[in-house]
Amino acid sequence: MYLVKVYVTYKESILDPKGEAVNDALHRLGYTNVQSVVLGKYFELKLAASDRPLDAEVDELCDRLLANVNMETYRYEITEMEAL
Amino acid sequence: MKFAVPVFPGSNCDHDMVNALRDILNMPADLVPATTTNLDQYDAVILPGGFSYGDYLRSGAIARFAPVMTAVKAFAAAGKPVMGICNGFQILTEAGLLPGALQANRSSKFICQTSPLVVKNTTSQFTTAYEPNQQIQLPIAHGEGNYYCDEATLAELRAHQQILFEYVDNPNGSVANIAGIMNRQGNVLGMMPHPERAVETILGSTDGLGIFQSLIANQQQEVSHA
C-alpha cells in the first residue's frame, strides 16, 4: 500500500484570485510581511500496488481528473505504508 | 427537431431551458438523466447551467465522466449540434470538446447581472439570426466564468472565427473578452451567458432567442436539403 500526497496549484501565469484574497486578508490582520499566497488543493490517495508503475498511474489520474492541465500544475510525494 | 437536455445532480437551469424550447420555441425537448447512454433519438443536445456534482474539485470536472457524456461525445463527433450554457460550457471544456478552461472570476465574486455582448461571428449555425457585431443583452450568473486559454489556442480561435460572443465590459476577466466560443468544426457551442433566460419580454430581454432560432432554422434547412 502506498500513500500519495498530491498538491495541485495554478500555473504561475494564471491569476489566483482566492490566493490574492487570502493575501489581502493577512495584510489587513497586520501580517504585512506576507509577500504572496498560493491557494491550491491537497489530496491524499491510498493506492494498492498494481502491475503498472505507480508514478505513471498517478500522473495519469492527475492529468485526467485531479488537475486541469490547461491552468493547473501538480506535484506529488509517494511513501510506502507499513502493512497492517 | 428534438432536443435533449441532460440533467446532472446539481443542474438548476434545466427547466428554464426546457421551458424556452417547448413553450417559447414550440420544439419538443426532453430532460434526460445523466445516466442516459443513448441520444440517438435527438437532433440537438443542450447541457444546462447549474452546479453539477456540487462543482466539487472544479466546475464540470466530475460531470465530464457522467455516463451521458460518452453519448454526448459521440453525438458531437457525428457532427450534431451540442450547446453548453454556463456550467454546460464548463463541462464541455473539461470534457475536451471545447478548448480552454473556466477559472474563478477575477473579482473573486459571484456575478449575477445583465451583460452586454457583441456577436462576433454571424455565420455559425448558432448565430445567423443576428446582425454582424450586433450588441445584445444576456444575463450572466457565475463565480467561475473567467475564460482562459493560452496564446496559441487564442490565435487558433481567432483564425477560425470560433469566438462567437464577446463581453462589452468584460465582467469576469476572460481572455480577449470571450463570452462564448464554438469548436473548429462549428457544431459545439459553449457560452457563460444564459440565452434561455432571455426569451420573453417579461424576462427583460428576448435577445437570447436568436441563438435557438438560428440553430433550428439551420438544422431544418439541412434536413430539407438532405
Side-chain angles (χ1 to χ4, degrees):
Chain A
M1 192 77 110
Y2 295 91
L3 175 66
V4 182
K5 298 177 176 178
V6 181
Y7 305 84
V8 176
T9 51
Y10 282 126
K11 289 177 181 170
E12 273 188 34
S13 57
I14 302 289
L15 181 82
D16 176 7
K18 290 175 185 170
E20 285 182 11
V22 173
N23 190 44
D24 292 348
L26 288 171
H27 288 178
R28 282 198 300 280
L29 287 172
Y31 301 102
T32 49
N33 56 330
V34 175
Q35 301 290 305
S36 70
V37 175
V38 172
L39 196 156
K41 294 174 185 146
Y42 171 64
F43 304 83
E44 282 184 1
L45 314 178
K46 286 173 186 159
L47 274 82
S50 71
D51 49 4
R52 299 183 58 192
L54 191 58
D55 52 354
E57 189 166 19
V58 174
D59 278 332
E60 183 183 294
L61 66 85
C62 286
D63 287 338
R64 293 187 70 197
L65 184 61
L66 300 191
N68 181 326
V69 293
N70 282 309
M71 57 183 178
E72 291 171 329
T73 183
Y74 59 85
R75 65 184 173 83
Y76 54 82
E77 300 156 5
I78 299 175
T79 48
E80 192 162 3
M81 297 169 75
E82 281 178 35
L84 292 174
Chain B
M1 182 175 180
K2 195 172 181 186
F3 287 81
V5 178
V7 182
F8 301 91
S11 293
N12 66 8
C13 304
D14 43 333
H15 285 269
D16 292 21
M17 185 60 73
V18 162
N19 171 69
L21 293 167
R22 286 184 192 156
D23 300 343
I24 312 299
L25 294 146
N26 296 311
M27 301 303 290
D30 290 340
L31 293 167
V32 301
T35 48
T36 304
T37 54
N38 187 323
L39 295 167
D40 288 350
Q41 60 169 310
Y42 299 102
D43 305 295
V45 174
I46 305 184
L47 303 181
F51 299 86
S52 55
Y53 301 89
D55 275 356
Y56 295 157
L57 192 57
R58 295 179 306 277
S59 311
I62 310 285
R64 167 195 169 188
F65 294 105
V68 74
M69 288 307 295
T70 303
V72 169
K73 280 186 175 175
F75 195 89
K80 295 178 188 172
V82 175
M83 288 169 55
I85 308 300
C86 198
N87 191 223
F89 185 14
Q90 294 162 338
I91 295 168
L92 289 175
T93 58
E94 283 284 343
L97 289 170
L98 288 172
L102 282 311
Q103 62 168 149
N105 295 341
R106 180 174 284 270
S107 62
S108 299
K109 292 185 175 126
F110 190 98
I111 305 172
C112 185
Q113 64 184 44
T114 298
S115 275
L117 308 172
V118 175
V119 187
K120 294 306 289 183
N121 172 351
T122 54
T123 62
S124 84
Q125 64 176 320
F126 305 102
T127 51
T128 45
Y130 297 106
E131 299 295 326
N133 293 312
Q134 183 178 340
Q135 194 175 123
I136 61 174
Q137 305 278 336
L138 291 183
I140 61 170
H142 57 245
E144 297 179 13
N146 178 354
Y147 182 77
Y148 170 78
C149 65
D150 60 25
E151 285 183 17
T153 305
L154 180 60
E156 282 280 304
L157 290 174
R158 285 183 165 145
H160 301 101
Q161 281 83 48
Q162 289 169 247
I163 301 169
L164 300 189
F165 303 100
E166 287 179 4
Y167 297 109
V168 171
D169 51 7
N170 200 349
N172 54 27
S174 293
V175 162
N177 303 324
I178 286 173
I181 57 170
M182 64 176 180
N183 64 343
R184 191 162 164 187
Q185 292 73 25
N187 67 310
V188 178
L189 161 73
M191 60 191 296
M192 290 310 298
H194 287 272
E196 80 282 9
R197 296 188 194 173
V199 293
E200 287 183 90
T201 310
I202 196 171
L203 295 175
S205 167
T206 56
D207 288 352
L209 277 175
I211 293 169
F212 303 105
Q213 289 166 339
S214 300
L215 177 63
I216 292 163
N218 290 309
Q219 286 290 317
Q220 286 176 342
Q221 195 176 9
E222 203 167 284
V223 168
S224 70
H225 285 183

